[in-house]
Amino acid sequence: MVMQLRYTRGADDKNPSNDYPGGLIDLTEPGRAVGPILLYIFMGAVDAHVQSFAYWLIGTMTNDSQMLARYAGFYKGIQSLGATIAWQLDAQNVSLMGQVIVNWVLIVVALPFTYYVTSRIKDHAEDSIEQPADDWLMRADGGKSDYI
C-alpha cells in the first residue's frame, strides 16, 4: 500500500513526471529502483503461486478429464471476467487506490470460500470412470478405429 501511494494516473502535459516521484525509474539509480523491482518480483511470484494453487484445487475435485476441462474452463472464464472488470475500472478512471481496495475486498471475500473448499479435500477422488482400456481407439460414432 505504501508503494501504491506514490503512483498516479501517469504523466500528462502539465506534469510530465507525475507518475512516480522524480520521473522515470532507471536501474542505475538503485535507491529509487530497488522498491519497484522487488515489488514486481514479489507480485510475479505470488501470481504463480496462486495459479498453481488454483489448478491444484481443480485437479483434486475429480478424476474425470472431461469434468476437469469444464472446471478449468470455468476458472479461466472467471479469470477473464476479472481482467475485463479491471480494465473497465481503469478506463473509468477509478483511482489507483480504489482499485487496490477493490482487489483486497475481493481477496478477503474469497478467502472463507477457499478455506472451505481446501478443508474438504480428500486424499483421493471418489468418482471413478469405468472405461475400456482401448477407449482412445474408439471413433466418435462408436466404431473401432482403423489403426487397430
Side-chain angles (χ1 to χ4, degrees):
M1 289 281 225
V2 173
M3 265 321 242
Q4 178 59 44
L5 293 174
R6 296 181 184 173
Y7 289 95
T8 63
R9 281 262 161 226
D12 56 16
D13 293 334
K14 296 176 187 175
N15 272 327
S17 66
N18 79 352
D19 186 39
Y20 193 78
L24 297 176
I25 299 172
D26 191 351
L27 292 176
T28 60
E29 303 174 57
R32 292 183 61 229
V34 71
I37 289 172
L38 290 176
L39 177 67
Y40 291 135
I41 289 170
F42 178 72
M43 287 172 26
V46 168
D47 179 58
H49 283 86
V50 169
Q51 292 290 324
S52 295
F53 178 68
Y55 282 119
W56 173 75
L57 275 179
I58 291 170
T60 62
M61 292 182 181
T62 183
N63 289 331
D64 183 2
S65 60
Q66 289 180 345
M67 287 302 295
L68 287 173
R70 289 183 182 133
Y71 290 155
F74 178 76
Y75 169 68
K76 294 307 277 184
I78 295 298
Q79 192 177 40
S80 296
L81 175 65
T84 302
I85 292 170
W87 279 91
Q88 276 302 309
L89 287 175
D90 191 45
Q92 300 299 321
N93 290 325
V94 174
S95 72
L96 298 177
M97 185 55 75
Q99 293 180 36
V100 169
I101 290 169
V102 167
N103 285 330
W104 277 100
V105 167
L106 288 173
I107 289 170
V108 168
V109 168
L111 281 178
F113 297 106
T114 305
Y115 174 77
Y116 176 78
V117 170
T118 306
S119 66
R120 300 297 188 264
I121 292 175
K122 297 183 173 92
D123 286 338
H124 64 286
E126 293 178 2
D127 62 340
S128 61
I129 304 165
E130 297 297 327
Q131 294 179 343
D134 64 346
D135 65 337
W136 61 277
L137 295 173
M138 300 294 279
R139 291 194 314 230
D141 63 1
K144 289 285 189 181
S145 173
D146 296 332
Y147 298 108
I148 299 179

